[in-house]
Amino acid sequence: MSRSLREVVFVDGVRTPFGKAGPKGMYAETRADDLVVRCIRELMRRNPELPPERVDEVAIAATTQIGDQGLTIGRTAALLAGLPTSVPGFAIDRMCAGAMTAVTTTASGIAFGAYDVAIAGGVEHMGHHPMGEGVDPNPRFVSEKIVDSSALVMGSTAENLHDRFPHLTKQRADAFAVGSQDKYAAALAAGKIGPELVTVATRSAEQGWGLATADEPPRPGTTVEGLAGLKTPFRPHGHVTAGNAAGLNDGATGCLLAAEDVATELGLKVGMRLVGFGFAGVEPEVMGVGPVPSTLKALASTGLTIEDIGLFELNEAFAVQVLAFLDHFGIADDDPRVNPWGGAIAVGHPLASSGVRLMTQLSRQFAERPDVRYGLTAMCVGIGMGGTVIWENPNWEGEK
């Protein structure tokens, strides 16, 4: 039996404001599942053309799948959001690339014909569930030298990357971090950051009820001089600091995917079109280099080259990790195509949710840039992986 694949489109994406993890963060007393429920409800509210019963799947990622992030959160969040009981759901985990994998998994189902419409996203409440909570790594990893012990500490893997590529200096990392903060601040002031946000009611036993409307992590006014004196917690006299890495954060994301013909049938907008994707493994000790082979794989499978990519949304888990990617492909540290609205160093990185943040921003950038045909979202992944998804701009005006 032969069949043809269908085109898959990214219809819309939303996210909660990202918060700082910990007892003083704005989501300290807010449930993780309630964060992702807000995203699902907002997607449905913003797209009234979509009958709720036409949603065929809900895939929600979380890295730490226990407590208020457990219990097959894709299904439970769908029910809590008010979707019909006929809509199934599942949980997925690929650490930082959880939401990205939720997208590629459901998109593959759409292309194959198993689904018409799907919701994909991710959530991470690092205040409730610190990275690594409840895990029990097999002692063979270290005793049999399958990986170095540093592979299980993400900040240490970033220090390893500085060691491997000594030309990626702390000064370059700090300068890149300042650029991320500055670009985020400029995008916020220009109204580019904000339309994708869904407000969240918050609760505090001490302060009462509140409303989260803006991202908590950004540090406007950050300077290279200010970053130079920060402590290097992963190694004495090291390179990685709280200033040139993403913080510990809480937040959720969600997006709506559909077959292009179904989007046309229902009158849904098309934000961008899926071209291809790739995931790759690397040495866990230098997991930050993962987006290089995953991008090479995605480019090869789509017949594109890095020169075809007009916009890059790269997750900034650590500045050095992005610099390694840029250096490999011969892209300048301050290339305007890269994270034009800032990145995770400024806005935060609630682990499994971040992939859809990248996609949502790229989709909105495409709407402003009909001169750009292809864009790329990529991220490094813990335990030594990288993920890359390539998208096409439906607003592209063709070769001038």
Side-chain angles (χ1 to χ4, degrees):
M1 176 181 176
S2 63
R3 66 182 75 188
S4 58
L5 295 179
R6 300 191 294 176
E7 296 289 350
V8 181
V9 296
F10 181 102
V11 174
D12 196 8
V14 299
R15 68 177 178 88
T16 67
F18 287 172
K20 293 181 179 180
K24 295 183 179 180
M26 62 186 180
Y27 296 133
E29 297 177 49
T30 301
R31 290 182 60 95
D33 47 10
D34 283 338
L35 295 178
V36 77
V37 163
R38 284 291 293 128
C39 291
I40 296 172
R41 286 179 173 171
E42 182 67 6
L43 284 170
M44 301 305 295
R45 187 191 72 81
R46 293 188 185 198
N47 297 276
E49 305 88 351
L50 175 63
E53 64 272 12
R54 290 295 300 270
V55 178
D56 295 309
E57 189 70 275
V58 177
I60 301 298
T63 301
T64 307
Q65 295 188 12
I66 58 176
D68 53 351
Q69 293 180 176
L71 200 60
T72 313
I73 193 168
R75 172 61 171 168
T76 53
L79 291 172
L80 289 166
L83 293 179
T85 55
S86 58
V87 178
F90 64 94
I92 197 164
D93 173 29
R94 199 197 295 262
M95 297 192 77
C96 302
M100 175 179 280
T101 306
V103 167
T104 57
T105 301
T106 52
S108 298
I110 292 170
F112 183 73
Y115 312 137
D116 283 340
V117 179
I119 290 173
V123 61
E124 209 73 52
H125 199 308
M126 300 182 75
H128 290 178
H129 308 291
M131 189 174 184
E133 180 187 17
V135 302
D136 180 18
N138 194 306
R140 290 179 50 238
F141 277 120
V142 175
S143 65
E144 298 182 14
K145 299 185 178 179
I146 296 171
V147 301
D148 184 82
S149 59
S150 65
L152 302 179
V153 180
M154 297 303 104
S156 295
T157 71
E159 290 284 8
N160 293 341
L161 208 54
H162 276 289
D163 292 343
R164 180 163 295 193
F165 303 112
H167 62 284
L168 303 180
T169 63
K170 183 178 183 298
Q171 290 72 26
R172 279 181 68 180
D174 287 349
F176 183 87
V178 169
S180 181
Q181 296 282 355
D182 290 346
K183 287 187 288 185
Y184 175 89
L188 183 67
K192 299 180 186 299
I193 300 289
E196 79 279 23
L197 298 182
V198 50
T199 57
V200 178
T202 61
R203 177 189 176 277
S204 166
E206 183 178 323
Q207 299 179 10
W209 291 94
L211 190 66
T213 61
D215 294 312
E216 200 174 21
R219 298 181 293 273
T222 298
T223 64
V224 172
E225 293 76 19
L227 296 185
L230 294 181
K231 295 179 180 179
T232 57
F234 302 103
R235 181 186 299 175
H237 309 293
H239 303 79
V240 179
T241 71
N244 59 31
L248 304 178
N249 305 109
D250 309 327
T253 61
C255 71
L256 194 60
L257 305 169
E260 189 162 16
D261 60 325
V262 173
T264 301
E265 169 203 339
L266 296 176
L268 297 169
K269 66 182 181 181
V270 175
M272 54 188 182
R273 186 177 297 111
L274 179 63
V275 179
F277 63 88
F279 291 95
V282 297
E283 298 164 82
E285 296 85 355
V286 286
M287 67 94 196
V289 80
V292 171
S294 66
T295 297
L296 292 172
K297 183 181 285 188
L299 291 171
S301 69
T302 57
L304 298 174
T305 68
I306 201 70
E307 288 74 24
D308 292 315
I309 307 301
L311 286 168
F312 296 82
E313 276 293 325
L314 307 177
N315 193 46
E316 298 170 357
F318 301 95
V320 66
Q321 160 255 315
V322 182
L323 295 175
F325 178 97
L326 298 179
D327 265 25
H328 179 89
F329 289 107
I331 301 170
D333 295 4
D334 59 353
D335 190 304
R337 298 173 298 168
V338 177
N339 297 358
W341 297 350
I345 289 173
V347 73
H349 174 31
L351 301 184
S353 71
S354 289
V356 166
R357 178 190 69 80
L358 301 176
M359 295 170 189
T360 300
Q361 290 198 177
L362 179 63
S363 176
R364 297 185 58 243
Q365 290 159 12
F366 272 163
E368 298 182 355
R369 295 290 305 275
D371 58 311
V372 171
R373 184 173 186 182
Y374 296 111
L376 177 153
T377 55
M379 57 201 317
C380 60
V381 189
I383 318 299
M385 292 181 284
T388 301
V389 187
I390 298 175
W391 302 90
E392 184 178 24
N393 185 358
N395 309 293
W396 182 60
E397 295 179 342
E399 301 290 348
K400 294 293 185 181

